[in-house]
Every structure is written in C-alpha cells, then in structure tokens.
Amino acid sequence: MLVKTPSLNQFRRIVVKVGSSLLVDRARGRLRQAWLAALAEDLAELHLRGADVLVVSSGAIALGRTVLGLPGGPLRLEESQAAAAVGQIALARTWAEALGHHGLTAGQILLTLADTEERRRYLNARATLGRLLDLRAVPVINENDTVATAEIRYGDNDRLAARVATMAGADLLVLFSDIDGLYTAPPASDPGARHIPLVERITPEIDAMAGGAASELSRGGMRTKIEAGKIAAAGGTHMLIADGRGKNPLAAIDGGARCTWFLTASTPATARKTWIAGSLEPRGALHVDAGAARALRGGASLLPVGVSRIEGDFARGDAVLIRDPDGHVLGRGLVAYDASEAKLVLGKASRDIEAILGYPGRAEMIHRDDMALGVG
C-alpha cells in the first residue's frame, strides 16, 4: 500500500530543533541573524495557522566561547559550562527578539537529563510546557549545559528534542541539519548514495545507514538523529530531517523541498496511555465515588473531590490504580500528589487545595492525559 507523505499543515503541535552549526556563523562566532529572522517568520506562520510551536535550540556554548575568547577545538567541562553560562543569555535574548518581532512571546526552559527521565521532574517540566502553550507562548528549550556533567547529560539536542516532543505531546518533530535527510550511505563519500524520502519504520537496515558527527560546533550526527527517531516514534511523534541552511527552511518544506519523513503508527495520546498502562508498576490505589467513576468513563480528569480513600505510600508522579466504589479497577494513572498530601485533599474541592496544603497544588488528582482506563 502506498503511504502518503505528510504535510506540515496537518500537525497541531510541532517541535523544531535548531543546531549550533545552523545558528552560529563558525568563522565569526556570531549568530546568523538574517537566517534566524527568516526561521522566526516561518514559526510565526505555523503559529498563525493555530499550531503550537516549541523550539529546541543549541548555540549557547558556541556563542559563549567567542565572547570569552576561548580557543577552538574541544573544551574542558568547566570551560563548556562557563561558555554556556555566558552564551545562554545572548541566545535567549536573540530568540525573544526574533519571535517578538512577530508578536510571539518566548519562554526559556533549560533541561537536564534528569528532568526528562525522573517522573516527578518530568511531570513538572511537562506542566510548565503545557501552560506556556496554553498561553500561546513559544517555549525555547536547551540542555542546561551550565550544570550538566558528562555523566548526566544528553550531549546532543537531537535526543533532547525527541524527549521534549514526547513530553509535550507533539505530533511532529523537525530536525534541521546540514543535510536534506537520510541517505543509503554518506553522500559526501559515496556518489552512489540514494536519498530516502520516507521511513515507515526504523529497521536494522535503516539503523545501519546512520553516520557520525560532522562538525565542531554540532555534537549531533545522523546516528543521534536516528536515535531521536526511535524515541519520537515510541512516543507517537512523526519526525522529519531537513536541510536547514537556507532561509525560511520550514516554508521550503511546505514548498516540497527534499527531506526525510519518519512515520509512527501511533499518536502522542495513545503512546502515552500505552506507556502508563503497561510499563509502570502501580505504587498504590485511589478509590473513587460513583460520580467520579462516571466522569472518568466520560473522559474527565480525576479531581480530589471524587476520591474517597487511598491505599499505598506513593510519591507524586508514581503510577496508581483507580478503583470504583466496588473495588473494581477502572484503570491507572500518574498521581499529582504524594500519598500524605492526597490524604489531606481527598474529598475536597480543588479551590480549597491551597488553603489546606499552603500552596496552590494541581487542580486534578490525576489529569486525563496521565490516565489509562480499562487496564489493571
């Protein structure tokens, strides 16, 4: 069966990853201002169509090393962290100005590996991203290179972008590179290499086509992009790799420029619910009243007022079972409160949470996006 190539206008939430080698002029160590302005124009067009837009941007270390006068070549860890501290200020300001020119508000988020791997921190980061998008802001995300060490870092923004895409429930991840997609072999060294426009599934054969890193300023290569594709597909996110060197690279894709699409058979919502349903061990249970059980079956979130009692000693972000008044399992979900806090707010209205806990907690005990019904 012939698989149709997607188009940008069919996606509702898009993560765009921009690497250092595209954003920074290597010879002068400066931002490519005209290129960034053109990309911001593309992002504004997506936003105007109604899509949520997120940016994962490298470039802090590359900018900071120029400001600090650090030499070319590999940097020691403390030099990289110092360069990131200086460069991140310039990078954030530049994105804010470029997007602000089109009336868009930028929000900076710096993540470490732990923020996307530990459930508690993951939920916090996910909630922040969600609120920014609700407010129609554009999150601009980078790895927190000022504190991340070699042992606890991504080391490339391709995989970070894929984690951000699955965290945010994005249905498309765009990886801009200095090549227009995946080839059967490295095209620079093999004149017989063929471009692959569509990858329905990442097979061992596709895996074998990945090459290594290509430039001093960019940590990522085709290998990391394939790994990002695996993460994205598992999270229900389509991905594409495109040449980002020209101006208005998203418009170029819209116009039919050559790229490689990586497809997934799932969606972000179904992939997330599958993960919750099958990959996490429940640490407790929430018993709900009849009204809450009906509301949950109708697609609602679980509010504290609908919880009658709890079992177990769970922490915020843990998976828990949801039981109806007869004790039957309705499903499971990721709980927004520690067990000790859940005991205090169960049966209470969401508006009373702040008075009870002393801080404005989540309105939902379990958000519907963090819930999978029909599983035990």
Side-chain angles (χ1 to χ4, degrees), residues 43-54:
L43 297 174
E45 177 60 30
L46 287 179
H47 200 270
L48 187 63
R49 292 182 195 175
D52 293 331
V53 178
L54 303 89

Side-chain angles (χ1 to χ4, degrees), residues 157-243:
N157 273 2
D158 292 329
R159 282 174 291 199
L160 174 62
R163 290 292 187 200
V164 167
T166 59
M167 178 191 293
D171 45 8
L172 177 64
L173 167 62
V174 179
L175 298 182
F176 280 128
S177 183
D178 54 5
I179 190 170
D180 56 6
L182 180 66
Y183 284 76
T184 53
S189 57
D190 186 344
R194 290 182 295 104
H195 180 266
I196 301 174
L198 190 70
V199 175
E200 294 182 55
R201 187 169 62 88
I202 298 178
T203 61
E205 291 74 23
I206 295 295
D207 229 352
M209 296 174 190
S215 82
E216 173 191 337
L217 290 181
S218 176
R219 297 191 192 108
M222 193 56 68
R223 164 60 53 199
T224 66
K225 289 172 176 54
I226 295 297
E227 293 301 321
K230 294 177 183 177
I231 295 168
T237 303
H238 296 290
M239 186 181 88
L240 73 84
I241 300 172
D243 191 337

Side-chain angles (χ1 to χ4, degrees), residues 284-307:
L286 303 181
H287 291 254
V288 303
D289 60 31
R294 284 194 301 272
L296 294 180
R297 292 189 182 102
S301 296
L302 177 58
L303 304 180
V305 70
V307 180

